[in-house]
């Protein structure tokens, strides 16, 4: 029987997404289990990732032989994990823990590095892990364009790379195995609907954008702007500024936007840490978030969902960071005749005033 957390407002985002593969469903009991299959629960707690199954994913997957890599037994090989940003961000902390816990539960040796939002350092980290004997890599890229030196070295040494949560430039099943993550444009469209609904379809709004140069920020910008343009002619985006997915920067940029736009009614933040910064700036300006200025965010961190529950934020679209089970499941399939899809889109949840309290009670946020 599904828990309350599974019954909350789940959204399958994006055209062409069909039935959801309920492998390792998001019940609290499942989230404490082990196992290494795609979609199975790892040891990180919370609601585990569930794959949304596009119809196009039914074809043959990417295998080690197609990739041109030697066959490995993961349990006798070293896996490298490159984290892009500081684990002071709850998303990154949960993502790292999920990868680490799943490797431990499967008895796989894992080495890992954190680039702390420095793409040059991430190149160095990946190259160092290769030098230390990593035979396959899981990479959470800092951006989509800057990892060519490290990825080229990995390819030259026939070391496969699986990307999670952000994409990289190149050809799937050649330059990298594939990508596991969310439909970022779809998330942004949901956020646009949330904000427009709270504003009753009219008012000036601002957009806090993520770090330039990665597909997440690009897709979350394009999706939001397209949805507003298509459906809400009386909503005007009066400011769109980069705040680098960072709370302090989000606060600073929001303060500047508020000074220039005293009639601002809403803020769309492309991640929750920027949303938290925006709320700080709104309060510092003598306004009430949730009343004077409506705020929506994306990620689903605990503080943001708590804000949704108490009315400080309108809504929050989850980006589930528990990549461990799906990532290692993909690698296991990659080293078999089954293969793994080159694109795996996960099913994210939608936290609103109607379900945020229950999600917090069930421990399904991070």
């Amino acid at each position: 029987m599904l828990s309350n957390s599974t019954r909350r407002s789940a959204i399958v985002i994006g055209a062409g997404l069909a039935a959801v593969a309920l492998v390792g469903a998001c019940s609290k009991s499942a989230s404490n289990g082990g196992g290494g299959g795609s979609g199975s629960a790892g040891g990180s707690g919370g609601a585990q990732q569930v794959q949304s199954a596009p119809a196009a994913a039914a074809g043959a997957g990417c295998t080690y032989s197609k990739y041109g890599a030697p066959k490995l037994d993961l349990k006798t090989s070293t896996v490298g994990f490159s984290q892009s940003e500081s684990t002071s961000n709850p998303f990154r902390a949960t993502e790292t823990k999920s990868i680490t816990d799943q490797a431990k539960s499967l008895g796989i040796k894992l080495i890992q590095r954190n680039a702390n939002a420095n793409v040059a350092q991430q190149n160095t980290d990946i190259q160092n892990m290769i030098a230390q004997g990593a035979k396959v890599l899981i990479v959470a890229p800092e951006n989509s364009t800057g990892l060519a030196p490290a990825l080229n070295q990995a390819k030259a040494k026939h070391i496969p790379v699986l990307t999670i949560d952000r994409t990289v430039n190149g050809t799937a099943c050649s330059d990298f195995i594939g990508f596991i993550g969310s439909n970022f444009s779809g998330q942004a469209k949901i956020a646009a609907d949330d904000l427009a609904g709270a504003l009753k379809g009219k008012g000036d709004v601002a957009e806090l954008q993520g770090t330039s140069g990665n597909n997440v920020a690009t897709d979350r910008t394009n999706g939001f702007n397209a949805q507003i343009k298509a459906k809400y002619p009386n909503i005007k985006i009066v400011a769109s500024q980069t705040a680098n997915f960072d709370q302090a920067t989000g606060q600073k940029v929001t303060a500047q936007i508020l000074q220039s736009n005293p009639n601002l009614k809403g803020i769309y933040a492309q991640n929750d840490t920027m949303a938290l910064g925006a709320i700080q700036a709104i309060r510092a300006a003598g306004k009430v978030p949730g009343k004077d200025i409506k705020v929506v965010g994306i990620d689903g961190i605990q503080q943001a969902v708590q804000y949704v529950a108490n009315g400080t934020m309108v809504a929050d679209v989850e980006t589930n960071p528990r990549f461990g089970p799906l990532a290692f499941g993909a690698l296991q399939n990659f080293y078999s005749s089954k293969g793994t899809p080159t694109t795996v889109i996960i099913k994210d949840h939608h936290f609103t005033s109607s379900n945020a309290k229950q999600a917090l009670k069930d421990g399904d946020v991070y």
Side-chain angles (χ1 to χ4, degrees), residues 305-306 308-310 351-361 365:
V305 178
Q306 182 64 59
V308 174
N310 67 25
F351 300 110
T352 68
S353 59
S354 67
N355 58 45
K357 289 181 180 178
Q358 188 64 52
L360 290 162
K361 181 179 179 181
V365 298

Side-chain angles (χ1 to χ4, degrees), residues 211-284:
T211 308
S212 300
N214 72 72
N215 70 300
V216 178
T218 299
D219 289 353
R220 286 180 181 169
T221 297
N222 293 342
F224 181 82
N225 293 350
Q227 192 79 343
I228 293 296
K229 182 178 180 180
K231 294 181 63 176
Y232 307 107
N234 295 320
I235 288 183
K236 183 179 180 182
I237 302 173
V238 296
S240 297
Q241 292 184 226
T242 299
N244 295 323
F245 291 131
D246 177 71
Q247 183 168 340
T249 308
Q251 181 178 1
K252 179 180 178 181
V253 169
T254 301
Q256 295 168 347
I257 291 172
L258 289 173
Q259 289 178 351
S260 302
N261 300 276
N263 295 321
L264 194 74
K265 299 300 181 183
I267 292 176
Y268 158 56
Q270 291 184 1
N271 83 337
D272 283 345
T273 54
M274 292 189 297
L276 299 186
I279 288 167
Q280 291 174 305
I282 292 167
R283 287 172 171 161

Side-chain angles (χ1 to χ4, degrees), residues 68-236:
K71 186 171 184 179
L72 297 178
D73 180 350
L74 290 174
K75 290 191 175 182
T76 60
S77 304
T78 299
V79 177
F81 172 53
S82 174
Q83 176 59 273
S84 59
E85 296 176 4
S86 170
T87 51
S88 62
N89 181 324
F91 179 93
R92 297 297 168 184
T94 306
E95 181 180 62
T96 296
K97 178 173 171 53
S98 180
I99 295 290
T100 303
D101 286 355
Q102 190 68 8
K104 183 177 180 180
S105 73
L106 295 172
I108 293 172
K109 181 180 179 181
L110 182 75
I111 57 176
Q112 55 183 297
R113 298 289 183 274
N114 191 310
N116 290 303
N118 184 322
V119 70
Q121 183 60 51
Q122 190 165 34
N123 275 289
T124 299
D125 288 347
I126 293 170
Q127 291 165 338
N128 285 344
M129 287 191 291
I130 291 172
Q132 292 173 32
K135 299 302 182 184
V136 60
L137 296 161
I138 300 170
V139 176
E142 170 59 19
N143 63 40
S144 301
T145 61
L147 294 181
L151 296 184
N152 288 341
Q153 181 176 332
K155 185 174 182 178
K157 293 180 176 292
H158 306 288
I159 296 172
V161 176
L162 177 67
T163 64
I164 60 173
D165 83 55
R166 292 176 183 170
T167 62
V168 293
N169 289 351
T171 303
C173 205
S174 175
D175 300 312
F176 55 94
I177 296 171
F179 163 75
I180 303 173
S182 297
N183 182 326
F184 305 113
S185 178
Q187 291 175 325
K189 291 177 181 179
I190 296 295
D193 290 338
D194 288 336
L195 189 57
L199 295 176
K200 303 188 186 311
K202 63 180 180 180
D204 292 350
V205 303
E207 179 179 24
L208 300 182
Q209 299 174 338
T211 308
S212 300
N214 72 72
N215 70 300
V216 178
T218 299
D219 289 353
R220 286 180 181 169
T221 297
N222 293 342
F224 181 82
N225 293 350
Q227 192 79 343
I228 293 296
K229 182 178 180 180
K231 294 181 63 176
Y232 307 107
N234 295 320
I235 288 183
K236 183 179 180 182

